[in-house]
Amino acid sequence: MNCPQCQTVNGPESAFCGNCGTRLAPATAGAQSSGTPSGYNAPGGQSGYGNPAGYGGPAGYGAPGGYGAPAGYGGPAGDAPPPGYVPPAPGYGPPGQYQPGQSGPYGQRSSLPPANFDLSRLTTVDRVVGIATLVTMISLWLPWFSATYSALGITSTGSISGTGVHGWLWLEFILALALVVYLAARAAWDPLPFRLPVAHDRLLIIGTGVQFLLVLIGFFAVPSTGNVQGVSVSWDFGAILALLASIAAAGPVIYPVAKSYLDSRKGARGAQRY
């Protein structure tokens, strides 16, 4: 039944609201004024289940050996909650009952700190890598290769995307998405709410380097014509855009490392001459 005070759904045998403690109407519509539930026959034909003086008929409710009411029990239609009754906290109903619209004290909370997106947390290199990687990811769905067929004076053309001709380029899509999400997280949290297995600079070098290799392989893996006469295959703008964008993403992080390595090699050779 519904509580008239807070509209909480309670069990059919509940005498008090499990949410606010308000007394409910008798659980059984046919309850007697004396407190006896309808349809209940006391042993020995005695009535008077709700008798406050003895909780039953003569000789202790008529049960063998005498059966008395528990202390403080007011029957299904008692006027007050039992002694020591403490109403539960709001949002936490009786066991097995769902309270809609209330989270309760046991609601799960997110362990992530609140995000505060700020692009100033990213360096210039981070921004270049993020934008170029996003362009590379989008270019995978653009036309990469175009095919032209000419026969009997009739020419027809068609195109196919990078992921359409090279299914393994979906690995590049996953890698590019991971890089973009990582840089977005650096802009949203300072410090990051998670730990990385490698340093930031090394992670960008590995990610953009693998991305460039995947795009480069896909760029030069031109589909074969199958030796069909009159058929030619050429690069389309999607492949060119992906190659340029992957170079732009990898260049700012790989070039300083490569230059430092070459300078150290030159210095070592100069020291050996002397």
Side-chain angles (χ1 to χ4, degrees):
M1 66 180 63
N2 295 338
C3 175
Q5 183 68 23
C6 64
Q7 300 301 320
T8 300
V9 179
N10 295 273
E13 301 296 332
S14 300
F16 304 95
C17 177
N19 183 45
C20 63
T22 302
R23 183 175 62 85
L24 304 177
T28 305
Q32 302 295 332
S33 60
S34 60
T36 304
S38 61
Y40 182 85
N41 293 323
Q46 300 295 333
S47 61
Y49 175 79
N51 190 344
Y55 188 66
Y61 185 62
Y67 179 81
Y73 182 80
D79 296 331
Y85 177 82
V86 178
Y92 183 78
Q97 293 189 8
Y98 170 71
Q99 302 296 326
Q102 299 179 2
S103 59
Y106 301 105
Q108 296 181 355
R109 297 182 179 179
S110 175
S111 59
L112 292 177
N116 183 18
F117 197 82
D118 187 2
L119 288 176
S120 63
R121 296 193 180 106
L122 301 178
T123 64
T124 302
V125 174
D126 293 341
R127 299 179 190 180
V128 172
V129 170
I131 295 175
T133 300
L134 182 62
V135 173
T136 304
M137 183 174 62
I138 295 174
S139 66
L140 298 177
W141 298 309
L142 300 178
W144 270 45
F145 301 102
S146 296
T148 303
Y149 175 73
S150 299
L152 303 175
I154 300 176
T155 302
S156 60
T157 60
S159 61
I160 189 170
S161 65
T163 54
V165 67
H166 301 310
W168 49 266
L169 280 177
W170 281 106
L171 295 175
E172 154 55 18
F173 170 79
I174 296 174
L175 175 61
L177 180 62
L179 286 173
V180 171
V181 171
Y182 165 67
L183 293 175
R186 286 184 63 88
W189 291 289
D190 186 22
L192 290 174
F194 51 85
R195 300 182 63 181
L196 297 174
V198 295
H200 171 68
D201 295 341
R202 183 172 298 180
L203 187 147
L204 291 185
I205 292 173
I206 297 174
T208 57
V210 174
Q211 175 176 253
F212 170 70
L213 290 177
L214 291 175
V215 173
L216 185 65
I217 295 172
F219 181 84
F220 285 107
V222 181
S224 175
T225 61
N227 296 324
V228 178
Q229 296 294 330
V231 177
S232 62
V233 179
S234 60
W235 290 298
D236 213 326
F237 71 95
I240 299 174
L241 179 62
L243 182 62
L244 295 177
S246 63
I247 294 174
V253 294
I254 295 180
Y255 174 75
V257 177
K259 185 176 182 301
S260 177
Y261 174 77
L262 294 175
D263 291 342
S264 63
R265 295 289 295 178
K266 290 180 180 179
R269 291 177 181 177
Q272 290 177 0
R273 292 178 183 178
Y274 295 100

